[in-house]
């Protein structure tokens, strides 16, 4: 199965998702500017994958620094960390992973003995930072496997499953969040029929979800976003599964623009709506969805991108929010790597962190 972020032979490699499905090409990231731009341009995207890439990106940006003291190294580190954090505002995994790297750095300050030499200490610090990035990647892979198992327990053989955006292997360290049970079911002969919303304007459903699922032999049908209601009404959909970029303490979940509409439709048609949310995506410090910063992107993504020629009058006013918030009342259950959480979410989500 393809992985979006790899660290091999001292090289940070990112699968350039902006080229998919036409071309499968990894790019090497060596600087803070390169990781910032890869995140901003969605060459690496999806909340958990952004977190993993940012952790490695921070490491590669500091690995060649020759600082003369812990203090100097830490100052450089913090400046680079703050810079990478500005790449995108919504997915909390970006900040979560960067914070975790910083915590790791400062956890080493006490233990340093500055012997036999600071240079050796510095080499040790860098090694430990790389190990932390590896741990973030591995933990996410394991979280996805666990969500796959929990998620599969909610599904039955032969079900029709609708998904929005891409919360598959491309969006995580491996396996995906909401697509992990689909892959697991595929191995166990569940015969799911997946419907992938194309996901305007950046087409993550068309370019990425339908690509990765069909590559693994899953029965996937691509539909336009405005066809979701129609396939639900026909009775083709038994469950909706989606990912999440940031979940607030009350269970409101920000995910790709269009998700909240799908959730409202699912409720209308009596279809369960499952949001897959690793604990790294749950932000208890954010009280509700109203407090989540929603990224706004350029209007040209609506008017021009992916078209052969502009599809709107030149200079037309646009509004292009990249995410929306699904109100917790539309979410049937939240699948995490620690188990399935049911309402009341405000009461049950904090229990995951006890
Ligand atoms: O703008 P993107 O492509 O980064 O948005 C991705 C999504 O909204 C995903 O559904 C979300 O990050 C969950 S990924 C497991």
């Amino acid at each position: 199965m393809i992985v979006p972020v790899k660290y091999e032979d001292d090289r940070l490699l990112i699968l350039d998702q902006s080229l998919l499905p036409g071309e499968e090409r990894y790019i090497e990231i060596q600087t803070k500017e390169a990781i910032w731009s890869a995140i901003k341009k969605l060459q690496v995207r999806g909340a958990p994958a952004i977190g993993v890439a940012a952790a490695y990106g921070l490491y590669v940006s500091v690995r060649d620094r020759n600082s003369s003291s812990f203090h100097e190294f830490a100052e450089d580190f913090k400046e680079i960390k703050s810079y990478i954090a500005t790449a995108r505002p919504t997915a909390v995994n970006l900040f979560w992973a960067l914070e975790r790297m910083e915590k790791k750095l400062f956890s080493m300050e006490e233990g340093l003995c500055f012997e036999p030499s600071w240079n050796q200490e510095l080499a040790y610090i860098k090694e430990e930072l790389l190990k932390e990035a590896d741990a973030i990647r591995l933990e996410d892979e394991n979280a996805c496997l666990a969500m796959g198992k929990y998620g599969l327990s909610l599904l039955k053989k032969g079900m029709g499953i609708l998904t929005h955006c891409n919360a598959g292997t491309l969006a995580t360290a491996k396996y995906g969040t909401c697509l992990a049970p689909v892959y697991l079911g595929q191995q166990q002969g569940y015969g799911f029929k997946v419907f992938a919303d194309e996901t305007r304007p950046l087409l993550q459903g068309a370019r990425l979800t339908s690509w990765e699922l069909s590559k693994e032999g899953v029965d996937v049908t691509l539909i336009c976003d405005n066809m979701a209601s129609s396939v639900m009404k026909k009775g083709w959909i038994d469950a909706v599964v989606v990912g999440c970029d940031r979940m607030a303490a009350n269970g409101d979940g920000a995910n790709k623009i269009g998700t909240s509409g799908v959730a409202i439709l699912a409720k209308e048609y009596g279809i369960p709506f499952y949001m897959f949310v690793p604990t790294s995506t749950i932000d208890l410090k954010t009280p509700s969805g109203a407090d989540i910063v929603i990224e706004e992107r350029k209007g040209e993504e609506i008017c021009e991108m992916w078209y052969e020629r502009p599809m709107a009058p030149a200079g037309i006013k646009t509004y292009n929010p990249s995410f929306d918030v699904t109100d917790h009342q539309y979410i049937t259950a939240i699948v995490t790597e620690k188990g399935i959480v049911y309402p009341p979410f405000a009461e049950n989500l904090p229990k995951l962190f006890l």
Side-chain angles (χ1 to χ4, degrees):
M1 182 174 286
I2 197 131
V3 291
V5 182
K6 308 198 257 200
Y7 193 82
E8 280 175 3
D9 303 325
D10 295 331
R11 296 170 76 211
L12 171 56
L13 299 172
I14 280 175
L15 179 70
D16 184 348
Q17 297 189 36
S18 68
L19 302 176
L20 291 173
E23 194 183 342
E24 231 175 275
R25 192 202 307 162
Y26 282 88
I27 50 169
E28 185 176 0
I29 302 289
Q30 290 175 299
T31 62
K32 63 177 183 181
E33 289 82 10
I35 188 64
W36 187 92
S37 153
I39 294 171
K40 179 80 185 169
K41 291 188 194 156
L42 275 55
Q43 288 172 300
V44 59
R45 34 71 46 206
I50 291 172
V52 172
Y56 280 117
L58 178 53
Y59 164 71
V60 296
S61 307
V62 297
R63 73 179 165 191
D64 296 325
R65 301 262 157 168
N66 283 320
S67 320
S68 58
S69 67
F70 181 86
H71 178 74
E72 195 186 314
F73 182 76
E75 285 306 303
D76 270 1
F77 181 99
K78 283 196 287 184
E79 180 252 304
I80 294 169
K81 176 196 153 215
S82 308
Y83 169 74
I84 297 173
T86 61
R88 293 186 78 187
T90 306
V92 75
N93 298 61
L94 173 61
F95 314 103
W96 173 88
L98 292 172
E99 282 305 317
R100 204 169 133 170
M101 292 293 282
E102 183 172 304
K103 226 170 156 186
K104 179 71 198 177
L105 173 65
F106 283 97
S107 75
M108 290 185 275
E109 189 180 9
E110 289 263 296
L112 297 176
C113 52
F114 300 101
E115 273 179 346
S117 74
W118 160 244
N119 279 346
Q120 276 167 294
E121 299 273 32
L122 186 57
Y124 170 78
I125 290 172
K126 290 176 181 173
E127 250 171 57
E128 290 297 304
L129 289 172
L130 175 58
K131 281 190 201 157
E132 191 67 4
D134 284 336
I136 290 172
R137 178 178 53 74
L138 252 174
E139 284 168 32
D140 186 59
E141 198 175 309
N142 289 331
C144 288
L145 275 178
M147 280 183 281
K149 286 185 194 146
Y150 286 120
L152 194 61
S153 73
L154 297 167
L155 306 171
K156 292 197 180 67
K157 288 193 170 171
M159 272 187 163
I161 297 172
L162 184 118
T163 190
H164 190 76
C165 192
N166 171 266
T169 192
L170 290 170
T172 59
K174 203 173 176 183
Y175 308 116
T177 57
C178 80
L179 295 189
V182 171
Y183 287 124
L184 211 59
Q186 174 76 0
Q187 284 168 11
Q188 298 177 22
Y190 270 62
F192 293 136
K193 293 193 180 332
V194 177
F195 289 81
D197 282 350
E198 64 171 350
T199 317
R200 288 271 297 145
L202 293 180
L203 306 180
Q204 287 91 336
R207 296 187 305 106
L208 309 176
T209 297
S210 62
W211 179 76
E212 65 161 84
L213 287 178
S214 55
K215 218 169 137 68
E216 296 297 321
V218 174
D219 179 337
V220 54
T221 304
L222 178 64
I223 59 170
C224 298
D225 298 331
N226 52 9
M227 297 168 190
S229 166
S230 170
V231 293
M232 286 182 182
K233 196 167 186 173
K234 282 180 188 297
W236 293 353
I237 308 299
D238 302 293
V240 176
V241 300
V242 296
C244 182
D245 286 86
R246 184 187 301 228
M247 177 157 277
N250 68 345
D252 291 350
N255 192 47
K256 181 52 54 196
I257 190 73
T259 304
S260 70
V262 175
I264 293 165
L265 286 176
K267 186 151 192 165
E268 176 65 25
Y269 288 108
I271 298 167
F273 180 94
Y274 301 121
M275 198 168 245
F276 285 64
V277 193
T279 49
S280 56
T281 306
I282 299 173
D283 180 12
L284 294 181
K285 290 200 286 291
T286 297
S288 79
D291 306 293
I292 298 175
V293 179
I294 300 291
E295 176 182 16
E296 280 185 39
R297 296 182 66 90
K298 287 190 181 145
E300 67 191 37
E301 291 180 352
I302 303 179
C303 305
E304 295 175 30
M305 209 167 171
W306 315 117
Y307 289 124
E308 268 183 20
R309 56 196 164 83
M311 279 294 146
I316 194 76
K317 245 198 309 178
T318 56
Y319 170 54
N320 184 17
S322 198
F323 302 93
D324 61 23
V325 173
T326 299
D327 197 285
H328 60 274
Q329 64 170 324
Y330 295 107
I331 302 174
T332 311
I334 297 163
V335 182
T336 79
E337 78 278 20
K338 294 188 178 175
I340 302 171
V341 183
Y342 291 96
F345 297 129
E347 207 175 301
N348 293 335
L349 280 176
K351 292 182 192 158
L352 293 171
F353 298 89
L354 292 177

